[in-house]
DNA sequence: CCAATTTAGATGCATTTGCATCTACCGCAG
DNA sequence: CTGCGGTAGATGCAAATGCATCTAAATTGG
């Protein structure tokens, strides 16, 4: 009953998550200590990156919050700092008086590209030797599937 | 040359990492907002968990630091807090006068188990519906491979 | 054996984070 | 229109974090 290989589904899930989590920690540790993030913390870069990927150029603060592992208040202040540094611009949302829209400034876009180039190079130097391209594709497929299986569900409370 | 599907190896690596990272964020966000972490932050639980897995029962502070995405000083203080709460015990390392050894107290072990049970259940509720067991195994294999490919390298400088 | 370098961990201090709360606005029921 | 919840962000404040630095112990080179 306590055999190591008698993997219950619950145990398998837990071990899979732990492995994913540790890999993320290990990679992130290397990335964030590299020279690419001298000017900007990883979370800050992540905001610029997400904005750079946004087709319309403008993004709501609360949408941004889904991508980042930060509380709403922390993100609010992080954005405030980025604005003070001239990297992003805010404007009140036109359709929703409560909301805020964000976009990159030219300077922000420039910095994102600059850091992004280095960052991408660092990533590829870590992933390239570790996994074959086929393995990378499979890893991407699995993590995308995992994410999309949770993502569409906005944290629904028990509706009682 | 700039076609969307003409994935260069560099780009593939970057997209794979992003997918892994976002999946981790999405899962972590759900986990840490759950009731399992009312009494303890995720980082704090992680320390207890790591100690609980340690065969000898004792672990060096610096070894612990490899598992966690925290600076050395933050971990030092986190451990200090856990000690104050009576969850772990410290002792000077017998072989190395600079070092510190840590282990769970009975109370710490109890709390780890309690949270761990809930935590594992939460994980399995997230992963179970998202990926088949075969997919979970593959995901575990890939992330383990990724980690082990970076892990063994204690940041050794070129000794020249 | 001793001086110089390196490593483990702790600490002062400024920055960042999260929780709780607050304000303003939306949407809806009457 | 008005009042009532619910959502988007901002803010006060205490706690956590990271950087730089410090101390002590181990290691290395002579």
């Amino acid at each position: 009953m306590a055999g190591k290989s008698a993997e219950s589904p619950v145990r398998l899930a837990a071990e899979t998550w732990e492995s994913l989590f540790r890999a993320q920690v290990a990679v992130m540790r290397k990335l964030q200590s590299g020279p690419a993030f001298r000017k900007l913390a990883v979370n800050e870069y992540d905001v610029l990156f997400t904005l750079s990927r946004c087709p319309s150029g403008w993004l709501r603060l609360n949408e941004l919050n889904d991508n980042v592992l930060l509380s709403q208040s922390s993100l609010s202040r992080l954005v405030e700092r980025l604005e003070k540094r001239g990297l992003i611009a805010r404007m009140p949302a036109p359709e929703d008086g409560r909301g805020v829209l964000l976009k990159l400034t030219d300077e922000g876009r420039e910095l994102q590209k600059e850091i992004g180039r280095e960052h991408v190079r660092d990533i590829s130097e870590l992933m390239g030797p570790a996994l074959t391209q086929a393995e990378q594709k499979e890893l991407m497929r699995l993590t995308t599937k995992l994410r999309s299986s949770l993502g569409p569900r906005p944290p629904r409370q028990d509706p009682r």
Side-chain angles (χ1 to χ4, degrees), chain A:
Chain A
M1 188 200 197
K4 283 172 194 164
S5 45
E7 295 279 337
S8 78
V10 168
R11 196 173 173 75
L12 172 62
E15 289 182 10
T16 302
W17 163 247
E18 201 207 340
S19 183
L20 171 61
F21 176 66
R22 299 285 177 220
Q24 191 270 339
V25 167
V27 173
M28 184 58 92
R29 181 176 279 288
K30 297 237 175 195
L31 289 176
Q32 76 184 3
S33 67
F37 294 104
R38 282 224 123 83
K39 300 182 176 176
L40 222 49
V42 175
N43 278 339
E44 294 170 333
Y45 170 74
D46 201 14
V47 166
L48 300 192
F49 172 78
T50 304
L51 286 174
S52 81
R53 291 271 166 239
C54 178
S56 72
W58 293 96
L59 201 63
R60 282 291 288 269
L61 198 44
N62 74 5
E63 299 177 274
L64 201 52
N65 213 150
D66 295 335
N67 272 340
V68 183
L69 200 53
L70 275 180
S71 69
Q72 178 269 320
S73 59
S74 299
L75 180 60
S76 177
R77 282 191 243 249
L78 189 155
V79 159
E80 183 180 54
R81 269 172 272 146
L82 291 178
E83 190 192 23
K84 260 173 200 145
R85 286 173 67 173
L87 300 173
I88 67 180
R90 314 167 88 126
M91 110 184 184
E95 302 294 334
D96 184 341
R98 299 162 298 178
V100 171
L101 290 178
L102 305 172
K103 76 160 184 152
L104 290 177
T105 61
D106 291 344
E107 190 186 343
R109 188 172 301 276
E110 215 42 55
L111 183 57
Q112 186 279 315
K113 278 183 196 162
E114 179 192 324
I115 296 179
R117 272 188 290 269
E118 259 188 296
H119 186 41
V120 163
R121 199 172 38 68
D122 290 347
I123 293 167
S124 124
E125 282 170 12
L126 293 177
M127 302 278 292
L131 300 174
T132 69
Q133 294 195 22
E135 284 173 330
Q136 290 178 43
K137 279 181 184 153
E138 181 64 1
L139 178 54
M140 181 162 56
R141 185 184 78 81
L142 292 170
T143 49
T144 301
K145 186 177 180 192
L146 172 57
R147 175 165 150 74
S148 71
S149 145
L150 331 153
R153 209 117 340 263
R156 173 160 284 320
Q157 291 292 60
D158 188 272
R160 128 92 76 92

